[in-house]
Amino acid sequence: MDEPTLGARIQTLRPKVASARRRESRAGAVAVALLFLGVLLTIVSAQGFLPLPWWAWSFGSLIAIVATARLRARLTRRRLTAEIALQWLERSLSRLQDRFDFGQDDGEGYLEETHPFARDLDLFGPGSLYHRINTTHTVLGRDALAETLSSTGPDARERQALVQELAVDSAFREDAEVAWCLLEKRNPKDRRDLERLERTTRSLLESPAPWLNEGPGPVAKTLAWIGTLTGTAAALGAFFELWPLAVLAAVWAIQLFILIGFAAPVSRRLVFFETLRTTLDAWTEVLTRIEAWQPQSALGQRLVAPLHEGTPASLAVRRLKVLADRLSWRRNAFFAFSFGVLWMWDLHAWSGLANWWRRNGERVGPIFRSAARIEAELALATYAAAVPGDADASFTSDTWLAAEGLEHPLLPRAERVANDLSLERAGRVDLVTGSNMSGKSTFLRAAGLAVVMARLGLPVAARSFGLHPDLGVVTCMRVEDSLRRGASRFFAEATRLATCLEATNHAPATLCLLDEILAGTNSKERHEATEALLDALTQRPAITLVATHDLELAELAGQHPDQVRVFHFRDQADGDTMVFDYQRREGVLPATNALRVLRALGLPIPNE
């Protein structure tokens, strides 16, 4: 949807949200009024001032209160649904206006130091690609989005087809947003409870725990049914005074003793399922929405397939919720020590859960993994819909990378500067020289992010973008020493460069982005080592972009004109102020600005 359409829908929906809030408030007020009226009528009727007995007024008032409470619950749901839809529209409009921060998780916890490009290309952390894209509401969705961004899988065309399909299907994205937001609102508020829920939910993606398949044995099942029949008969006989209460008490005591023997395995399952129980209803609704989706893309069809194998996933999870509720009844002390004992309730509830898990346990992981992947893909599609001016990548085997008007997608749109980039063949090295702060590193990151985003199926911040689908990415840009690992900056950087070389062995071609490498040694050894490294990269299926201040490396262009090109970024002096245009130009940088920077900061650098 474009801005005018979104603005019109927002203006239409706001009065509906206000109306829903008023109706919900009135229903709550009516319920309170009915409570006081019921108490008053009960008291008055007890004094003989009303024709019906007091219990009739109490019972009638209770029915009216319950009916009003159920009505209010429905009105609350409608209000929440309208509020979520309004928030979704408002955020969609904000994204179109280049505002992407809504307090969402920035994914910093997913950053892996050994990842070939995540840190250097700002995939995770404040202001990162993850931060900009993330619209997920569940821990599984966040995990799936992080895994998707970190993946180097070869399914770029399939991902693009799915993202494009979802980007234009705003109705499904809005509908899914409501379902996932309602699920998020079921999460506990206490941090420890939330962490326990997230751990338990993540465990659903693993192979079913063996103990979940284990139900009561044949002896226990037999005792359960005998106990249920005996307890029911004892209770009925005592109620109709067919035998003394002592018989009922003896049966109760024997069955309580039996249940105590099974308390440990039942309690273990109670803790597991009670953690999930509050969200299973909401997961049922999420799965129902996904099941109704009929994707046209091949990847979308594969993602929804596990939900339709056998019993629909939503029905299976709803049944699990019912069984988990039955087990949780043992938390009610009155029920647990009355009917719970007489009916051997724990054993029946345990048996029902075990039977469900034996039938459906192998499906649980694929079902929730599919739901998580779809939530992650919806986040990608929401971003794609928010950048209609960006270019969808065209995948071709004719060139490795061809970009017109390439920009850095994480910068505010008003501050971006476009540059062209063409990488036709492997074995090529582009040396990028330039003044400090002139845009060398930003240009390298823009190129790397463009490849990553295109392979995710996302639009690229460029006028046009062509990419070979098999082009990989590896970087050596932000390398730091590590006191914990006992590694100096030079050793850490050398290790990362070895990783870059190794990465070129595992793809038809790899885009290597290197920024001021080997700064931790003397200039002579640095120059020699860098020259040797670049020479090695020209012999491999690598396309290398190197940002450097070592102008002597530019001599490689003269020695290997077919393999090495030189570009530069520059600045212009305006008095004591440096002005940058962030434009890439061919050739060697004609002048540097290091001394001017130091002088401008007040350091004792003499004028030239």
Side-chain angles (χ1 to χ4, degrees):
M1 287 184 285
D2 55 16
E3 289 191 39
T5 303
L6 283 171
R9 285 203 59 193
I10 289 171
Q11 294 303 318
T12 301
L13 191 54
R14 279 175 178 165
K16 294 182 180 179
V17 171
S19 176
R21 289 170 178 166
R22 288 193 298 270
R23 289 196 296 270
E24 179 191 19
S25 179
R26 285 197 293 266
V30 169
V32 173
L34 287 174
L35 174 63
F36 283 104
L37 180 62
V39 172
L40 177 62
L41 291 175
T42 300
I43 294 174
V44 172
S45 62
Q47 303 299 318
F49 296 110
L50 292 175
L52 297 177
W54 66 268
W55 56 266
W57 292 105
S58 296
F59 186 70
S61 300
L62 179 61
I63 293 176
I65 292 170
V66 170
T68 306
R70 291 176 65 87
L71 173 63
R72 186 178 187 276
R74 289 195 296 271
L75 292 174
T76 298
R77 181 179 178 81
R78 291 177 187 172
R79 187 260 303 169
L80 283 173
T81 300
E83 287 178 344
I84 292 169
L86 176 61
Q87 182 187 68
W88 185 81
L89 292 171
E90 291 174 339
R91 290 185 174 182
S92 296
L93 181 60
S94 295
R95 292 186 184 97
L96 284 174
Q97 297 169 346
D98 201 35
R99 299 196 304 271
F100 288 85
D101 188 358
F102 307 105
Q104 68 270 31
D105 180 50
D106 60 22
E108 188 170 17
Y110 295 105
L111 181 61
E112 296 180 4
E113 295 294 334
T114 57
H115 192 274
F117 54 78
R119 175 180 288 279
D120 292 340
L121 299 185
D122 298 302
L123 256 61
F124 303 103
S128 64
L129 182 64
Y130 185 97
H131 191 197
R132 181 167 284 234
I133 290 175
N134 181 24
T135 60
T136 59
H137 298 280
T138 68
V139 63
L140 299 185
R142 294 195 299 273
D143 291 350
L145 181 60
E147 182 181 357
T148 300
L149 264 61
S150 301
S151 171
T152 56
D155 53 351
R157 291 188 180 92
E158 287 190 338
R159 284 181 171 180
Q160 185 185 67
L162 176 57
V163 168
Q164 290 175 344
E165 178 183 2
L166 289 171
V168 300
D169 192 353
S170 59
F172 175 62
R173 288 191 290 112
E174 181 178 349
D175 201 37
E177 174 75 8
V178 171
W180 261 294
C181 275
L182 291 173
L183 172 57
E184 186 179 33
K185 291 182 181 296
R186 297 288 188 94
N187 289 343
K189 304 305 179 186
D190 182 78
R191 184 170 183 81
R192 288 177 297 181
D193 290 342
L194 179 59
E195 289 175 351
R196 183 165 57 250
L197 172 62
E198 291 181 348
R199 287 195 303 270
T200 305
T201 305
R202 281 183 171 127
S203 72
L204 295 176
L205 301 187
E206 303 168 359
S207 298
W211 57 270
L212 289 174
N213 295 325
E214 298 171 357
V219 174
K221 288 182 179 180
T222 302
L223 288 175
W225 285 110
I226 292 175
T228 300
L229 296 174
T230 304
T232 302
L236 290 174
F239 180 80
F240 290 107
E241 298 181 352
L242 299 177
W243 45 68
L245 287 175
V247 174
L248 176 62
V251 170
W252 181 89
I254 293 171
Q255 297 191 172
L256 177 63
F257 179 77
I258 294 173
L259 289 175
I260 290 175
F262 294 100
V266 172
S267 296
R268 185 182 186 187
R269 285 152 182 82
L270 177 64
V271 171
F272 180 84
F273 286 108
E274 199 165 54
T275 303
L276 291 172
R277 193 169 58 88
T278 56
T279 62
L280 287 177
D281 264 346
W283 272 113
T284 297
E285 184 163 346
V286 166
L287 295 172
T288 300
R289 306 286 179 96
I290 298 174
E291 288 167 354
W293 177 45
Q294 296 180 338
Q296 302 302 309
S297 62
L299 180 56
Q301 291 171 3
R302 289 203 303 272
L303 288 179
V304 300
L307 277 61
H308 298 286
E309 295 174 357
T311 304
S314 58
L315 296 181
V317 174
R318 181 177 288 114
R319 176 60 179 168
L320 178 62
K321 170 64 165 56
V322 171
L323 295 171
D325 283 343
R326 289 179 182 175
L327 183 64
S328 70
W329 288 0
R330 75 193 306 265
R331 292 290 193 192
N332 184 307
F334 173 78
F335 178 85
F337 287 99
S338 56
F339 297 104
V341 174
L342 293 175
W343 291 341
M344 305 290 278
W345 190 261
D346 287 0
L347 293 180
H348 292 298
W350 174 17
S351 180
L353 281 169
N355 290 337
W356 185 95
W357 211 264
R358 279 193 289 268
R359 290 192 302 270
N360 301 281
E362 295 295 336
R363 294 185 62 201
V364 170
I367 285 172
F368 283 91
R369 191 173 292 108
S370 290
R373 277 291 307 278
I374 291 171
E375 187 179 10
E377 296 296 338
L378 284 167
L380 298 177
T382 298
Y383 174 83
V387 289
D390 289 357
D392 289 322
S394 59
F395 295 101
T396 175
S397 300
D398 297 334
T399 186
W400 289 105
L401 188 154
E404 293 182 1
L406 179 64
E407 300 172 347
H408 195 298
L410 303 184
L411 292 175
R413 194 171 294 276
E415 300 177 11
R416 300 178 188 174
V417 176
N419 284 282
D420 296 343
L421 177 62
S422 179
L423 305 172
E424 299 89 359
R425 58 186 177 84
R428 175 67 64 82
V429 173
D430 279 7
L431 293 172
V432 185
T433 64
S435 306
N436 294 289
M437 304 180 294
S438 61
K440 302 186 302 298
S441 300
T442 300
F443 175 71
L444 264 62
R445 292 192 178 95
L449 269 175
V451 175
V452 172
M453 294 176 71
R455 295 191 61 173
L456 289 170
L458 294 173
V460 176
R463 291 192 302 274
S464 67
F465 190 79
L467 180 71
H468 194 294
D470 295 329
L471 182 64
V473 181
V474 66
T475 63
C476 181
M477 302 180 73
R478 291 172 176 156
V479 180
E480 300 176 354
D481 58 357
S482 174
L483 182 63
R484 179 176 57 83
R485 297 196 305 268
S488 67
R489 185 184 188 280
F490 178 78
F491 182 82
E493 194 168 24
T495 302
R496 187 54 178 265
L497 290 172
T499 301
C500 290
L501 285 174
E502 173 63 21
T504 62
N505 296 326
H506 303 289
T510 302
L511 178 62
C512 298
L513 304 176
L514 313 178
D515 189 7
E516 299 295 343
I517 59 174
L518 301 176
T521 186
N522 64 74
S523 59
K524 180 177 182 297
E525 290 185 331
R526 176 186 183 184
H527 176 81
E528 293 176 353
T530 302
E531 189 172 313
L533 175 65
L534 296 181
D535 182 65
L537 287 170
T538 61
Q539 309 303 316
R540 292 168 174 260
I543 305 170
T544 308
L545 300 184
V546 186
T548 181
H549 283 102
D550 187 353
L551 299 182
E552 294 182 14
L553 288 175
E555 298 175 2
L556 293 173
Q559 300 169 10
H560 307 284
D562 293 335
Q563 293 178 301
V564 180
R565 300 183 299 184
V566 181
F567 300 89
H568 71 271
F569 289 84
R570 67 173 64 168
D571 68 287
Q572 294 179 345
D574 184 6
D576 293 333
T577 303
M578 291 172 294
V579 180
F580 303 96
D581 62 11
Y582 305 110
Q583 291 292 331
R584 191 185 70 145
R585 296 175 173 85
E586 293 187 4
V588 182
L589 176 69
T592 60
N593 68 0
L595 296 181
R596 288 203 304 273
V597 172
L598 297 174
R599 196 179 299 118
L601 292 174
L603 295 175
I605 305 299
N607 291 324
E608 299 174 356

